[in-house]
Amino acid sequence: MPLTPLDIHNKEFARRLRGYDEDQVNEFLDQIIKDYEAMIRENKELQNMVAASQDKLGHFSNIEETLSKTIIVAQEAADELRGNAKKEAQLIVKEAEKNADRIINDALSKSRKVALEVEELKKQATIYRARFRALIETQMELLTQDGWDTLENREPRGIEA
């Protein structure tokens, strides 16, 4: 067990003949007590500083660990977000391609339908022109026949003048 300043202060030495000078011994012991007390205080201060440093080190170690975990979680979240965005972009592209295909197919279908209608109208116009021409030709033939001249020169019947 280490000595305390009080142990040094209370130490009594036996007296002998021709011993050391008592005043010098007491002065030396007083100096030892002062130095020893100073060493004990300094030791306690150093122990307190070490304890505070260890507390800070523990605190900073916890912060470092928390930051490391946070960075890992943030990286994982960013990776997951990037993956989700990539999947969503692929889905959007696929949906857009489907819509584009549908729009193109609809346009082609309408185009074919319009082309068929145009062809049908052309046929009907050709038929109408042919019939109209035939009608006009028939009417022209009727107009050019000799019977019209005799009708114009005839007197109406049953009407007396």
Side-chain angles (χ1 to χ4, degrees):
M1 179 171 185
L3 290 175
T4 66
L6 191 58
D7 291 338
I8 295 171
H9 182 65
N10 291 334
K11 178 66 178 167
E12 295 280 329
F13 294 97
R15 295 185 187 232
R16 291 199 179 160
L17 191 61
R18 291 193 200 174
Y20 293 108
D21 181 5
E22 190 176 331
D23 289 337
Q24 282 183 349
V25 170
N26 284 338
E27 278 180 32
F28 185 72
L29 287 175
D30 286 342
Q31 183 63 41
I32 290 174
I33 289 170
K34 285 180 188 175
D35 290 347
Y36 195 65
E37 284 177 341
M39 293 293 276
I40 289 173
R41 270 194 307 275
E42 184 180 342
N43 190 17
K44 283 196 181 214
E45 286 176 11
L46 290 173
Q47 286 175 351
N48 289 339
M49 288 172 63
V50 166
S53 295
Q54 285 177 340
D55 286 346
K56 285 183 180 179
L57 179 64
H59 176 72
F60 288 126
S61 293
N62 286 340
I63 290 174
E64 179 184 18
E65 185 179 332
T66 302
L67 286 174
S68 294
K69 287 179 181 177
T70 302
I71 289 171
I72 290 170
V73 167
Q75 183 65 42
E76 289 172 353
D79 291 343
E80 184 178 339
L81 187 61
R82 189 178 306 117
N84 288 342
K86 197 173 192 177
K87 286 178 187 176
E88 188 173 339
Q90 289 172 346
L91 288 174
I92 289 171
V93 167
K94 284 182 183 178
E95 187 67 28
E97 287 173 350
K98 284 180 187 177
N99 285 340
D101 287 344
R102 182 184 49 78
I103 290 169
I104 289 171
N105 289 335
D106 287 349
L108 287 173
S109 175
K110 287 178 183 177
S111 172
R112 287 184 193 118
K113 195 174 187 180
V114 167
L116 289 174
E117 288 176 2
V118 167
E119 285 301 316
E120 183 62 30
L121 287 173
K122 283 181 182 179
K123 286 179 188 176
Q124 288 177 4
T126 303
I127 292 170
Y128 176 76
R129 281 179 56 204
R131 287 183 181 167
F132 193 64
R133 179 175 290 146
L135 178 66
I136 290 174
E137 287 174 358
T138 305
Q139 294 298 318
M140 287 298 287
E141 281 180 26
L142 284 174
L143 287 174
T144 55
Q145 284 180 358
D146 290 337
W148 282 100
D149 291 337
T150 56
L151 283 176
E152 287 178 357
N153 294 333
R154 254 176 146 193
E155 296 273 330
R157 286 190 229 165
I159 300 177
E160 294 179 27

